[in-house]
């Protein structure tokens, strides 16, 4: 290998990743449809052609942004901790992992949660999100069948309420705020698995 | 009193309430900003002036729609069951009531949850929503102080996670679906207060 540094495409200071971050912030602020490549160029102090140097289309920007969220969530499911052991422990792992992905990739997950399926890219992302939800729902059912989760609530409702709680974090979580992500994951698991009530007699 | 029927304003079949329902559905589908009085008139097969007979402006339509959601939620807090008795029971009442309002006034609460504060009407609604959230947060703190709720989670986080779970119901609940509202309220209380886990030894 030669020692010549890898040539970066585009202007110094703006690699593909940096453009992606600015684009996702704009999509979340103004909506994907309302954010043109021209708007992005203005925000980045770049020409449109400089952006097209990195991305073939606005839809490719969206695709990479949604991948960032979905790859994170799917990575949690692929981990050995999600595949081996009692279902209740695997479910706890997945919930904790989802909170971790959500807080560490906040703008990307925010974008994912707003996708409504208007384009092929969006529909593909929605299908991957539904597959993730189904995998968690299957874990809930397994944990119920092994006797570690209560069986008086429909597993689909359980999954929806769990994701309602987890996904709502994007509405208020700020990385610079007082709550660190790990404590927040502990809190979610405590509420979801053990509930808020102090048992009578304690 | 004479027996003459009360004169309804507007065309037969469209009282203020019926227009409000169609308007809220349109606001939720297309967004408030994107829905003009002209769009509403087309959807209602009415002239714009027929709508202006009932509402002075689009903002008044929004105001009445948001009132529908907020009056419902505030009514839950005003009930004696929210004001008298152990805090844990009052909290349970309020959570159950919030689920009931959400399911019975689904499009109105959906609209409320999307309000971002661009106009005076929206900012007033947001302030009322925040006051409701603060009242619930105060109940969480009271229940914690009386020893009936666990004390190892910040009450503000607890309130946010509870509302995350409750509010997410608008994303998937359908009145014609298999879940009835009362069972759903039971499920929310079961998850939130007692948790999903079957205690060890059971």
């Amino acid at each position: 290998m030669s020692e010549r540094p890898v040539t970066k495409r585009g202007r110094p200071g703006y690699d593909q990743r940096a453009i992606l971050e600015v684009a996702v912030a704009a999509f979340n602020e103004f909506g994907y449809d309302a954010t043109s490549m021209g708007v992005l160029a203005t925000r980045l102090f770049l020409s449109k052609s400089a952006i097209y140097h990195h991305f073939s289309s606005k839809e490719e920007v969206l695709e990479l942004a949604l991948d960032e969220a979905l790859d994170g969530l799917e990575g949690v499911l692929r981990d050995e901790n999600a595949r081996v052991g009692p279902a209740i422990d695997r479910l706890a792992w997945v919930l904790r992992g989802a909170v971790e992905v959500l807080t560490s990739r906040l703008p990307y997950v925010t974008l994912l949660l707003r996708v409504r399926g208007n384009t092929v890219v969006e529909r593909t992302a929605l299908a991957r999100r539904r597959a993730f939800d189904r995998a968690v729902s299957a874990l809930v059912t397994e944990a119920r069948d092994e006797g570690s989760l209560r069986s008086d609530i429909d597993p689909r409702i359980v999954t929806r309420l769990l994701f309602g709680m987890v996904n709502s974090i994007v509405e208020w979580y700020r990385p610079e705020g007082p709550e660190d992500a790990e404590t927040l994951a502990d809190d979610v698991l405590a509420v979801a698995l053990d509930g808020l009530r102090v048992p009578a007699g304690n």
Side-chain angles (χ1 to χ4, degrees), chain A residues 6-188:
Chain A
V6 176
T7 309
K8 263 192 178 171
R9 289 198 296 175
R11 277 203 192 180
Y14 278 117
D15 55 13
Q16 198 189 48
R17 178 84 203 172
I19 296 177
L20 194 60
E21 272 178 31
V22 173
V24 169
F27 294 164
N28 283 331
E29 188 174 346
F30 307 115
Y32 173 70
D33 293 329
T35 308
S36 66
M37 287 296 244
V39 166
L40 289 184
T42 307
R43 287 208 139 192
L44 288 158
F45 301 100
L46 289 176
S47 66
K48 274 208 271 184
S49 69
I51 300 183
Y52 281 115
H53 192 67
H54 291 285
F55 298 96
S56 64
S57 64
K58 191 173 83 160
E59 201 154 27
E60 198 196 347
V61 183
L62 180 65
E63 188 173 16
L64 286 179
L66 295 173
D67 278 349
E68 184 73 19
L70 289 161
D71 291 349
L73 292 171
E74 291 164 358
V76 173
L77 284 181
R78 267 196 309 275
D79 191 282
E80 198 185 328
N81 289 299
R83 294 184 291 109
V84 179
I88 178 89
D89 295 343
R90 289 184 279 138
L91 178 64
W93 164 267
V94 171
L95 287 177
R96 179 177 293 283
V99 173
E100 198 279 320
V101 168
L102 195 147
T103 50
S104 64
R105 307 185 187 195
L106 193 62
Y108 299 95
V109 180
T110 303
L111 187 65
L112 175 66
L113 293 178
R114 292 183 184 170
V115 156
R116 287 291 169 265
N118 298 326
T119 62
V120 173
V121 164
E122 291 176 78
R123 283 190 289 277
T124 307
L126 275 182
R128 286 172 69 187
R129 193 184 148 195
R130 275 195 296 268
F132 180 80
D133 289 358
R134 271 198 306 277
V136 178
S137 193
L139 262 183
V140 168
T141 304
E142 266 193 83
R144 180 186 159 127
D145 292 347
E146 77 182 11
S148 46
L149 279 201
R150 59 194 299 157
S151 57
D152 57 343
I153 311 181
D154 184 329
R156 288 165 310 172
I157 303 285
V158 167
T159 308
R160 282 168 167 163
L161 293 176
L162 288 177
F163 277 111
M165 190 159 59
V166 169
N167 292 340
S168 72
I169 293 171
V170 302
E171 303 290 334
W172 56 268
Y173 184 78
R174 295 296 164 265
E176 67 279 11
E179 299 85 23
D180 73 271
E182 209 168 320
T183 308
L184 184 57
D186 290 341
D187 294 349
V188 167

